Amino acid sequence: MSRTFSADEEFAQKLDAEDPLRSFRNKFHVPLGKDGSSLIYFAGNSLGLMPKAARQIVEQELDDWAKLGVDAHLEARTPWYSYHETLREPTARLVGAKPSEVICMNSLTVNLHLMMATFYRPTKSRFKILMEEPAFPSDTYAIKSQIVHHGLDPKGALMLARPREGEYTVRTEDIVDLIEKHGDQLAVVLIAGINFFTGQLFDIEKITAAAQKRGITVGFDLAHAVGNVPLALNDWNVDFAVWCSYKYLNAGPGAVAGAFVHERHATNRELPRLAGWFGNDPNTRFRLHLEPEFIPVPSADGWQISNPPVLSMAPLRASLSIFDEAGGIEALRAKSIKLTGYLQFLIESKRPSNAGAARISDSYTVITPRETDARGCQMSILVHEHPKELFGKLEAAGVKCDFREPNVIRTAPTPLYNTFHEVWRFATILAAHQ
Ligand SMILES: *Cc1c(COP(=O)(O)O)cnc(C)c1O
């Protein structure tokens, strides 16, 4: 791949001119820096940019509220009562699920708790949970509290798959080994689709198969994977998954999150769960005080608790339609592989000691896997000296990326709104400061 790239500016401009998705940038508001020019926005892994269509779609709901009051539940242009239905099919396409296997609701960590309430049923012999390290703090808090909730001690019940000495990412074979070794004691394996820190894309299919072979339930946190890489949750037989929508899905701060429950579980009304009225069969939902028996919808909707948060769902509608217009996640992934591959090429070619290996830098090390199928769009750069200073310089030069203690700069060029020329400018600024 790298042989097909070149480090001069004209080449970046040529890649942009040839990019079939280049017009999609115009569908987003790109924040401006102090000098009035567009920031190089590589922070879509924290908060995706605002689709221009979001304002109008939110205003529509506000108008319907103003005009119709309670009647908007059934009479709004997009009736609020079934608002979540508008998200179902585009969401299912993004995660490779059947429409009945997905539901947009709550926020990510809340959904993780709801899934664990169903799928973490520790017994005397099988009570452990396997996660990767470092996991996102919220996931660790949630999982430890789940363990405590069942009267157990996280010290004995939480197992971590770590990178080997001198390495930054976790080898799939090491996860599989832990599963094999502790298979009888593990109740749940919960791994990120893509690790938030290193950008490592895990082999979801392989981990799922290894765990299920030992009778273990497998869930994935797709916060950094959804809208970033193609997923096939139904085919891969994943038991459950959760994700948020404000990162690569560009649905705005605190946007409504998502959950996947494989159909073999989703249709099982016997599964224990934390219930609320919107998880109940719509036919009896309004006979609440007459038929107090909870009858779950035999789909992922059976985990829905409350009525849909329309104002938080509206921008997600706008955003998901952009994914469809762009030709879906496969088309975006094709550009993404090129964009991030180009970034890696430039970082390496602008180095003083370029020998083509990942971990040779004098001043920084790319800790994201080199292999395309082991990463999404994110590239994490570990800075050996004065990391905060370098980060400050990047910010001053109009780059919006983020810093993770103690020394990692995360950059995420996204195919919907970033350009090859931005990648070139970023690499040029980085090289100037190394
Ligand atoms: C972003 C992120 C979260 C955020 O959780 P919220 O409940 O949306 O606040 C959780 N876990 C992972 C892995 C994340 O990347």
Side-chain angles (χ1 to χ4, degrees), residues 45 107-110 136 138-139 192 196 221 223-224 244 246-247:
N45 54 348
S107 48
L108 189 165
T109 312
V110 171
F136 195 85
S138 192
D139 298 42
F196 78 101
D221 182 329
H224 285 263
C244 53
Y246 49 81
K247 292 171 180 167

Side-chain angles (χ1 to χ4, degrees), residues 153-264:
D153 183 354
K155 278 204 187 77
L158 179 59
M159 184 178 291
L160 297 173
R162 298 190 170 86
R164 291 186 188 181
E165 186 74 31
E167 297 184 5
Y168 296 99
T169 51
V170 187
R171 297 190 190 196
T172 302
E173 67 205 75
D174 290 353
I175 295 176
V176 171
D177 277 353
L178 283 172
I179 289 169
E180 290 290 328
K181 211 181 265 167
H182 304 276
D184 296 344
Q185 295 187 320
L186 282 168
V188 169
V189 170
L190 178 76
I191 307 279
I194 290 184
N195 183 271
F196 78 101
F197 187 68
T198 63
Q200 177 183 12
L201 167 59
F202 287 97
D203 190 332
I204 296 176
E205 187 174 19
K206 203 169 195 173
I207 293 168
T208 302
Q212 287 173 347
K213 202 174 94 194
R214 305 299 304 262
I216 304 161
T217 300
V218 200
F220 286 89
D221 182 329
L222 304 175
H224 285 263
V226 69
N228 182 1
V229 293
L231 297 162
L233 299 183
N234 176 277
D235 277 357
W236 295 338
N237 209 36
V238 166
D239 290 292
F240 69 89
V242 292
W243 57 89
C244 53
S245 306
Y246 49 81
K247 292 171 180 167
Y248 297 109
L249 294 189
N250 310 313
V256 71
F260 164 90
V261 183
H262 197 279
E263 63 180 344
R264 69 183 183 284

Side-chain angles (χ1 to χ4, degrees), residues 96-173:
K98 296 189 175 175
S100 62
E101 293 175 314
V102 294
I103 179 70
C104 292
M105 58 180 185
N106 313 310
S107 48
L108 189 165
T109 312
V110 171
N111 288 344
L112 180 55
H113 276 298
L114 295 182
M115 292 297 111
M116 292 300 282
T118 294
F119 293 106
Y120 181 50
R121 315 294 300 174
T123 64
K124 247 193 152 63
S125 58
R126 204 188 260 282
F127 59 94
K128 292 188 179 176
I129 299 173
L130 175 66
M131 294 176 78
E132 93 272 22
E133 186 173 80
F136 195 85
S138 192
D139 298 42
T140 304
Y141 301 150
I143 294 306
K144 283 186 174 172
S145 72
Q146 282 284 335
I147 291 169
V148 171
H149 176 72
H150 286 281
L152 300 167
D153 183 354
K155 278 204 187 77
L158 179 59
M159 184 178 291
L160 297 173
R162 298 190 170 86
R164 291 186 188 181
E165 186 74 31
E167 297 184 5
Y168 296 99
T169 51
V170 187
R171 297 190 190 196
T172 302
E173 67 205 75

